[in-house]
């Protein structure tokens, strides 16, 4: 958990717990995607004041409700047709990257 002395922290757009569960799917379908790489790790802010100043969501601890939803989505992707797995996994990853950066995607954002 962040405190007043840590106003910024790394933000995983695909939480590491979820990635760990589906690492084989990522390795197979998006082999260059890494949880610590540029596609997943961004800087988040830990206070509402900084979130307003930088126009980004607050990152302050884990968000299990995101983990649960992503787990369901990745399970569905992994059980689907092989020819669609890479595209669907990429779409979800791109959505999470955009939304966690404060962008609104198709009317939705992630905070």
């Amino acid at each position: 958990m962040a405190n007043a002395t840590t106003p910024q922290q790394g933000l995983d757009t695909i939480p590491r717990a979820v990635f760990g569960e589906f690492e084989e799917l990522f390795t197979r379908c998006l082999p260059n995607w890494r949880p610590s790489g540029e596609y997943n790790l961004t800087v988040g802010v830990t206070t509402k004041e900084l979130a307003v100043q930088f126009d980004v969501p607050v990152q302050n601890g884990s968000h299990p409700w995101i983990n649960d939803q992503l787990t369901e989505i990745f399970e569905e992707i992994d059980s689907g047709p092989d020819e669609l797995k890479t595209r669907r996994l990429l779409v979800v990853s791109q959505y999470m990257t955009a939304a966690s950066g404060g962008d609104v995607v198709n009317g939705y954002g992630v905070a």
Side-chain angles (χ1 to χ4, degrees):
M1 188 99 165
N3 58 45
T5 62
T6 57
Q8 296 178 320
Q9 63 180 228
L11 168 61
D12 294 314
T13 57
I14 303 295
R16 289 174 192 265
V18 176
F19 174 79
E21 188 175 341
F22 295 95
E23 187 170 1
E24 191 276 329
L25 175 65
F26 275 84
T27 300
R28 199 170 9 105
C29 298
L30 293 177
N32 292 322
W33 197 96
R34 298 286 179 266
S36 59
E38 64 183 293
Y39 306 113
N40 191 49
L41 193 62
T42 59
V43 175
V45 297
T46 60
T47 67
K48 291 179 183 177
E49 294 80 13
L50 285 173
V52 169
Q53 183 177 350
F54 292 107
D55 195 28
V56 296
V58 173
Q59 166 68 13
N60 196 0
S62 65
H63 304 291
W65 58 274
I66 293 174
N67 294 11
D68 295 343
Q69 296 300 317
L70 284 173
T71 296
E72 287 182 25
I73 290 168
F74 291 148
E75 285 172 348
E76 183 178 329
I77 289 170
D78 203 20
S79 67
D82 285 344
E83 63 270 16
L84 297 178
K85 287 181 183 180
T86 297
R87 173 173 276 188
R88 289 179 176 170
L89 194 59
L90 185 59
V91 166
V92 173
S93 297
Q94 288 176 331
Y95 170 84
M96 289 301 293
T97 298
S100 66
D103 295 334
V104 174
V105 183
N106 293 331
Y108 296 94
V110 175

